[in-house]
Amino acid sequence: MKTVIRLVALLALTCCTGSGHRGGGCENSVFYGYVNICLPEIKGMKECLAHENVKKIVQPYLAVGPVLGYYLNDDTYGKIDSLGTITYDTYFMLYGEYRHENYQASVDDLEQKTAGLEKSLFDREGFAQIEKNMGAVKAEKPVLLEKYSPHPNVRTMIVIMKYKSDDGTETSVVSAANVILIKQRLLNLAYYVAYSGGKSIDDLKMKNEAVVDIFMKLN
C-alpha cells in the first residue's frame, strides 16, 4: 500500500455512494474553497473518501492540498475494511492545492499548471525530486505516452511507470493525469490502473474520458 501512496504523492508534486451516473442533479458534492464541486458517479466504482481507512490512505497528501474524492472499484470496495493491509491498483482521486482553493484561475493558469506537472514528471531535476519523495520505492523514469485535451478546459497526460516496491515486487502502472479548470478553479483528477498491455491503456483512456465528460457536465 505504501507504493500506492507514493504514486499519489508523485502526481501531487507535480459513507460511499452507489455506482453508475444517473444524470440530473448532484448526488454528492464538496467545497473547494468557496466553490461547490459536484462529484460524478462512476459506473463500477464507489466514492469512499469518508471511510476511515481511506482517510488514512490519503493522509500523506493533505500536507499539499485537499483530497475531494477517492473512488475504488467494486471489488476493492468489498475489502475496504482491510484496505491498509491489501494491495490494489485501480482508483480515481480528485484533489487540489491549498494555494489554489480561492484563486480564480484562467486557461493561461491551466496551461502553466499542466506544464509544471509535465516538468515535475519528465525532466531530470523533476525526476530526481520524485525519487527522493518515493523513498525506498525504486522507479524507472516515467514515460509520456500521450498528451491531449479531451475538453477545452482539461489537459490529459497518459503516463506509464515501472517501479519496484519495498518487497522487491516489480509493477507497471499506467495513469491518466488530468489538470482541470472548472468554476475558475484548478483541480487534478488522477486515474491509475495496472499495466497489462495495450488494451489496458485503451481501457484507461476510454474510462477516463467518460468520467471527465460527466464531471464537466455536472459542473
Side-chain angles (χ1 to χ4, degrees):
M1 199 62 260
K2 293 179 181 177
T3 56
V4 174
I5 293 172
R6 287 173 181 137
L7 281 172
V8 171
L10 162 69
L11 287 178
L13 287 169
T14 49
C15 120
C16 301
T17 62
S19 62
H21 174 58
R22 292 190 291 270
C26 184
E27 300 292 332
N28 189 8
S29 66
V30 294
F31 276 96
Y32 182 50
Y34 301 118
V35 173
N36 193 11
I37 302 295
C38 186
L39 301 179
E41 294 183 23
I42 302 176
K43 185 177 181 180
M45 304 187 82
K46 293 181 172 62
E47 198 289 299
C48 301
L49 186 61
H51 194 282
E52 289 302 315
N53 285 347
V54 175
K55 289 179 181 178
K56 294 175 184 176
I57 295 298
V58 304
Q59 185 64 36
Y61 182 77
L62 299 181
V64 178
V67 177
L68 306 179
Y70 195 91
Y71 295 78
L72 295 172
N73 64 24
D74 290 341
D75 180 64
T76 304
Y77 174 68
K79 306 168 187 173
I80 197 168
D81 290 335
S82 303
L83 203 58
T85 62
I86 64 173
T87 299
Y88 63 96
D89 50 33
T90 301
Y91 63 98
F92 271 96
M93 188 174 81
L94 178 69
Y95 59 100
E97 295 182 57
Y98 296 126
R99 61 177 178 155
H100 289 147
E101 279 187 298
N102 291 306
Y103 174 70
Q104 293 190 6
S106 66
V107 172
D108 287 342
D109 296 301
L110 174 66
E111 302 295 358
Q112 291 177 15
K113 184 173 175 62
T114 303
L117 177 59
E118 186 173 0
K119 179 179 175 63
S120 72
L121 287 172
F122 303 114
D123 76 358
R124 181 176 301 178
E125 181 179 344
F127 186 65
Q129 184 63 44
I130 288 170
E131 291 183 307
K132 180 179 178 181
N133 283 282
M134 291 183 75
V137 177
K138 303 301 180 184
E140 294 183 6
K141 190 171 181 178
V143 175
L144 178 62
L145 301 179
E146 189 175 355
K147 180 171 64 173
Y148 64 106
S149 180
H151 181 279
N153 288 340
V154 180
R155 306 292 180 265
T156 299
M157 287 182 284
I158 306 299
V159 180
I160 189 169
M161 187 176 72
K162 181 183 289 185
Y163 65 93
K164 183 182 291 185
S165 61
D166 300 356
D167 62 4
T169 302
E170 290 190 357
T171 307
S172 292
V173 172
V174 61
S175 62
N178 304 284
V179 183
I180 297 174
L181 174 64
I182 201 160
K183 295 184 176 179
Q184 295 184 298
R185 295 296 185 270
L186 289 171
L187 291 171
N188 289 84
L189 177 66
Y191 179 33
Y192 298 87
V193 300
Y195 173 72
S196 58
K199 188 176 186 303
S200 61
I201 297 173
D202 293 340
D203 289 347
L204 172 129
K205 287 179 59 179
M206 187 182 304
K207 184 154 190 171
N208 179 70
E209 290 168 18
V211 171
V212 166
D213 183 62
I214 293 169
F215 183 57
M216 300 307 288
K217 287 177 178 176
L218 282 174
N219 290 281

